[in-house]
Amino acid sequence: MTEHYDAFETRDPAEREAALFARLPEVLRNAIVASAYAERLQGIDPGSVTTREALARLPVLRKSELPALHKAAPPFGGFVANGPGSFARLFTSPGPIFEPEGCQADPWRGARALFAAGFRQGDVVLNAFSYHLTPGGFIVDSSARALGCAVIPAGPGNTEQQFELIEAYRPIGYSGTPDFLKILLDAAAAAGRDVSSIKRALVSGAAFPKSLQEEMRSRGIDAYQAFGTADLGMIAFETPSRQGMTVNEDLILEIVKPGTGDPVAEGDVGEIVVTSLDPHHPWIRLALGDLTAALPGKSSCGRTNMRIKGWMGRADQTTKVKGMFVRPEQIAEIGKRHPELGRLRLVVTRAGETDAMILKAECASSSGTLQTDLAATLRAVTKLGGNVELVGAGSLPNDGKVIADER
């Protein structure tokens, strides 16, 4: 049994980086044919965007903006040059956000994740992701079939009928949420049904805490996590090394300071931003609103792509103070005006029956006026008054949180 899906997974990281950025200019040229990208990328020469530094100067497109953009210019917000009829399937996700499926094999790039989880040609897979209007079921379905697996399109729910299918087809693999896998196993045990053929799983879409991981192992199932979205498909996945998640091939993943498009320092927690190299439906710096951090070094499984810690929370920490929204972008602006500072964290509390703010700021050394100056900047940027607390360099948690609502 081969250990890797193909040779791309083990190539030298510098070779991968060069290959990705050699393709990016042409992807950008295809992108700006679409009206929304033409407006957002106006004045940018696609041929000059050949490094991460150049890419980081392009504007970020926030996923949270997509529902309004799609509503204003249906169905795809002006980010796709071709019409809906040029795609294979058309979906919707809550928002609504409208997502098309490409016509190529494995359009969601999930075969690598399944392979890393031990799925192989000829396996039968019970796919319990939803097939109803959303892409989830089809993401794994198309990926499993690209790998040469047979798929039972079960979706979630209806456990009695699923037991019949499992006992008849004897699937070795499961794909779906970890929650539903537990429901299925518990229901089978209670009903005396045989689901023992399931030996491995690819789970996503919900938390998979260590306690549940250990329970799956105790029940003879080797389960792997994957991180994906309806827009991009499979972004990163666990491998047999169990050392974080390996970023998928053909994607450029950045980690930026929440509320900005600026890359974080190495190892810091930040928001995931992804650029895809699909000329039919490119995503250029799509900010997902999810937090993660990069892991150093190479995986012991032999895959050489960037690794991330996995999902670490949400980047959109916008909160309302005294009736006014305070956003991560505003905290980032305060940091830009005071470059001598390290991490910043705005703590929102209650003082009696009134909202109160404390801006905690890391600094190696401070001038006599820094605290006063910082309080003035806080008021100028947020239009709200607050206290300032100067703390030692490196004393605030590296968790990507810039606004902590403790009310």
Side-chain angles (χ1 to χ4, degrees):
M1 183 181 290
T2 58
E3 295 182 17
H4 304 112
Y5 184 75
D6 59 22
F8 287 112
E9 295 188 333
T10 57
R11 57 185 159 169
D12 182 87
E15 179 187 345
R16 175 184 294 107
E17 190 85 344
L20 290 172
F21 281 91
R23 293 167 57 190
L24 182 56
E26 186 60 27
V27 172
L28 290 171
R29 291 186 188 97
N30 280 288
I32 60 178
V33 174
S35 59
Y37 276 130
E39 183 178 346
R40 295 178 73 89
L41 303 178
Q42 188 174 9
I44 293 168
D45 173 16
S48 68
V49 187
T50 56
T51 64
R52 285 187 179 266
E53 293 72 23
L55 179 61
R57 290 193 286 270
L58 302 187
V60 162
L61 171 61
R62 301 199 175 282
K63 184 169 179 174
S64 59
E65 299 177 82
L66 292 181
L69 293 169
H70 284 191
K71 184 177 181 180
F76 305 129
F79 291 99
V80 178
N82 297 308
S86 65
F87 292 96
R89 293 186 179 93
L90 302 167
F91 303 102
T92 183
S93 290
I97 298 174
F98 299 105
E99 295 117 351
E101 179 189 74
C103 298
Q104 70 272 34
D106 194 16
W108 307 99
R109 311 173 192 86
R112 293 181 189 281
L114 289 164
F115 189 93
F119 292 66
R120 293 296 184 269
Q121 182 176 358
D123 286 350
V124 176
V125 181
L126 180 79
N127 185 22
F129 284 113
S130 176
Y131 281 81
H132 182 62
L133 294 180
T134 61
F138 288 94
I139 289 174
V140 175
D141 189 299
S142 60
S143 300
R145 289 187 295 108
L147 194 58
C149 302
V151 180
I152 303 170
N158 200 356
T159 54
E160 280 297 321
Q161 190 170 12
Q162 296 216 24
F163 295 151
E164 293 177 10
L165 291 164
I166 293 168
E167 290 173 344
Y169 289 121
R170 308 304 293 162
I172 195 170
Y174 165 92
S175 56
T177 66
D179 306 41
F180 185 68
L181 177 56
K182 177 172 169 53
I183 289 169
L184 197 65
L185 296 175
D186 289 347
R193 305 299 293 263
D194 181 10
V195 296
S196 62
S197 64
I198 299 175
K199 299 298 184 186
R200 46 185 170 263
L202 184 75
V203 300
S204 189
F208 191 36
K210 190 166 289 295
S211 58
L212 187 53
Q213 295 174 35
E214 291 170 354
E215 181 178 345
M216 290 302 112
R217 278 194 290 270
S218 73
R219 298 171 89 155
I221 297 175
D222 195 16
Y224 288 74
Q225 299 180 77
F227 171 65
T229 70
D231 323 87
L232 292 153
M234 208 64 72
I235 295 169
F237 50 87
E238 272 192 306
T239 75
S241 71
R242 304 290 187 174
Q243 298 167 334
M245 292 188 182
T246 297
V247 174
N248 210 342
E249 302 292 327
D250 294 328
L251 297 175
I252 300 172
L253 188 144
E254 304 169 88
I255 303 174
V256 306
K257 298 174 184 176
T260 78
D262 303 328
V264 299
E266 187 174 353
D268 277 5
V269 176
E271 183 177 6
I272 298 172
V273 172
V274 179
T275 297
S276 70
L277 300 180
D278 179 359
H280 190 188
H281 185 205
W283 287 110
I284 309 301
R285 302 201 81 201
L286 181 65
L288 302 181
D290 296 303
L291 295 173
T292 196
L295 290 169
K298 296 179 182 178
S299 172
S300 61
C301 72
R303 291 171 179 83
T304 57
N305 208 347
M306 175 185 185
R307 290 177 301 137
I308 59 176
K309 289 185 177 180
W311 187 82
M312 298 178 68
R314 291 291 295 168
D316 185 5
Q317 300 154 29
T318 298
T319 191
K320 188 176 280 189
V321 181
K322 296 181 180 179
M324 295 181 63
F325 284 109
V326 181
R327 306 178 187 279
E329 295 93 322
Q330 293 173 306
I331 310 306
E333 176 60 27
I334 294 170
K336 288 179 181 178
R337 297 188 188 188
H338 295 272
E340 70 274 22
L341 300 176
R343 293 191 183 99
L344 300 175
R345 176 171 298 202
L346 185 73
V347 180
V348 183
T349 60
R350 295 282 285 177
E353 296 302 319
T354 305
D355 291 340
M357 302 191 309
I358 302 170
L359 180 64
K360 296 186 177 184
E362 291 182 353
C363 63
S365 60
S366 62
S367 67
T369 64
L370 178 58
Q371 199 162 3
T372 303
D373 294 344
L374 201 48
T377 304
L378 175 63
R379 180 177 288 278
V381 172
T382 66
K383 312 305 180 191
L384 294 164
N387 295 322
V388 171
E389 181 182 333
L390 300 178
V391 299
S395 61
L396 291 177
N398 176 24
D399 57 7
K401 187 174 286 187
V402 294
I403 299 176
D405 192 341
E406 298 181 357
R407 289 172 291 185

